[in-house]
Amino acid sequence: MNPLRTSRALVAAAAAVVLSFTSAGFANGAAGGALRDHDDGDEITVGIKFDQPGIGLKTPDGTYTGFDVDVATYIAKQLGHDPADIVWKEAKSADRETLLQRGDVDFIAASYSINDKRAEKVDFAGPYLLAHQDVLIRADDDSIKKPSDLNNKKLCSVTGSTSAQNVKDKIAPDAQLQEYGGYSECLTGLENGVIDAVTTDDSILAGYAAQPEFKGKFKLGGFKMSNENYGIGVQKGSELKAEINTALEKMVADGSWEAAVKKNFGPAGYQNEPAPKIGVIVQ
């Protein structure tokens, strides 16, 4: 036997095997639209907030609750995944685009407002909720009935948030801004009378106010000072966008969307907007 011919044959065979595995791997990564590789074919990774009661919260016992969790679980089921298949990953506001671009998650449901700047980097399914900037005040406070009543009031939001500054710049220039490290601190200040109002998205405020320890203590102003169209973030060009839109339409049609709103926001008296139409962004 010619040793050189045998060596060439072995090299050719090895190259064929490598090419076969590479082609299979590419097909598995691109065909499904998820653009991610999983150790378990049934696994799906979803980005949510871990620290927003009513929206996305990781509880002390390691479970996850909130409207975005319910929406994401419904979507995952429509994509063929049981709840046990979902790997929840924290998606902080500043990290959301990076998580999607790197392929660390399949999709993100994390009070993720659709805007042009974000849409340059990722795609959005939805919207699935129309929220508004609002204020939370004490239930017995009748002094704040309209946005301009926030003048000379102590208005709280979290450090780095633009919500309170928007109120001061555009609505109540004499509001006294107070920045705390987190919304929980703002609510404690509101409960104790140190703060007069807390501002951010009404859905987030309703989620906090719906917690058992705050039940009946606070109310939403209902001021609708901005429109926040929450969307499901997916990787740019992902086929999941169309599949998720179909799932969202079904969630509205079968009543699951309304049930999730009432379950997570109802205790705060949240007057939600009707479910938005897919692809319609309210300015």
Side-chain angles (χ1 to χ4, degrees):
M1 181 177 292
N2 188 325
L4 180 60
R5 182 179 300 170
T6 301
S7 175
R8 287 174 177 171
L10 288 173
V11 170
V17 170
V18 170
L19 179 61
S20 174
F21 276 113
T22 302
S23 299
F26 176 80
N28 289 337
L35 305 178
R36 299 188 69 253
D37 291 323
H38 299 294
D39 294 331
D40 182 347
D42 292 329
E43 183 181 283
I44 186 167
T45 303
V46 181
I48 58 169
K49 292 294 181 66
F50 277 15
D51 60 352
Q52 288 184 345
I55 299 286
L57 180 69
K58 182 177 181 179
T59 64
D61 64 2
T63 59
Y64 301 88
T65 65
F67 179 70
D68 283 348
V69 174
D70 290 343
V71 170
T73 301
Y74 188 98
I75 290 170
K77 183 177 180 180
Q78 297 305 307
L79 296 176
H81 301 276
D82 293 329
D85 300 330
I86 302 173
V87 176
W88 300 106
K89 188 174 184 67
E90 185 173 19
K92 296 180 179 179
S93 295
D95 299 335
R96 291 176 295 201
E97 286 84 38
T98 301
L99 288 171
L100 288 168
Q101 290 174 324
R102 288 194 316 218
D104 293 342
V105 294
D106 291 292
F107 66 86
I108 287 178
S111 54
Y112 203 1
S113 295
I114 301 170
N115 62 40
D116 292 340
K117 184 177 180 180
R118 291 168 177 166
E120 293 176 357
K121 300 177 181 179
V122 303
D123 283 343
F124 285 99
Y128 66 95
L129 183 72
L130 176 59
H132 307 282
Q133 185 180 344
D134 200 357
V135 295
L136 195 69
I137 57 180
R138 286 182 292 278
D140 60 357
D141 187 350
D142 294 324
S143 68
I144 302 176
K145 296 181 179 179
K146 56 186 183 297
S148 60
D149 291 336
L150 294 168
N151 280 306
N152 301 311
K153 298 289 188 180
K154 294 179 181 177
L155 180 65
C156 186
S157 195
V158 298
T159 303
S161 169
T162 60
S163 297
Q165 192 63 48
N166 286 341
V167 172
K168 186 171 178 64
D169 290 345
K170 302 174 183 178
I171 298 169
D174 293 327
Q176 301 172 31
L177 299 188
Q178 307 285 322
E179 290 188 324
Y180 286 5
Y183 289 113
S184 295
E185 296 173 49
C186 284
L187 264 68
T188 299
L190 183 62
E191 183 179 16
N192 295 336
V194 178
I195 295 297
D196 298 308
V198 182
T199 186
T200 187
D201 295 356
D202 54 6
S203 58
I204 296 173
L205 294 172
Y208 276 102
Q211 299 308 293
E213 64 268 31
F214 296 130
K215 189 173 182 180
K217 295 182 178 180
F218 306 128
K219 63 183 178 183
L220 289 162
F223 296 158
K224 299 183 179 181
M225 295 181 284
S226 72
N227 294 319
E228 306 295 337
N229 299 269
Y230 288 2
I232 304 294
V234 297
Q235 199 173 71
K236 202 73 174 174
S238 174
E239 296 174 11
L240 278 181
K241 176 179 177 178
E243 297 178 52
I244 291 173
N245 279 335
T246 298
L248 291 172
E249 289 174 337
K250 183 175 181 181
M251 187 177 188
V252 173
D254 68 16
S256 298
W257 183 90
E258 187 68 30
V261 169
K262 291 180 178 178
K263 168 189 169 186
N264 292 289
F265 305 132
Y270 179 55
Q271 300 298 314
N272 64 282
E273 298 280 3
K277 299 293 184 182
I278 298 299
V280 177
I281 306 300
V282 178
Q283 300 297 333

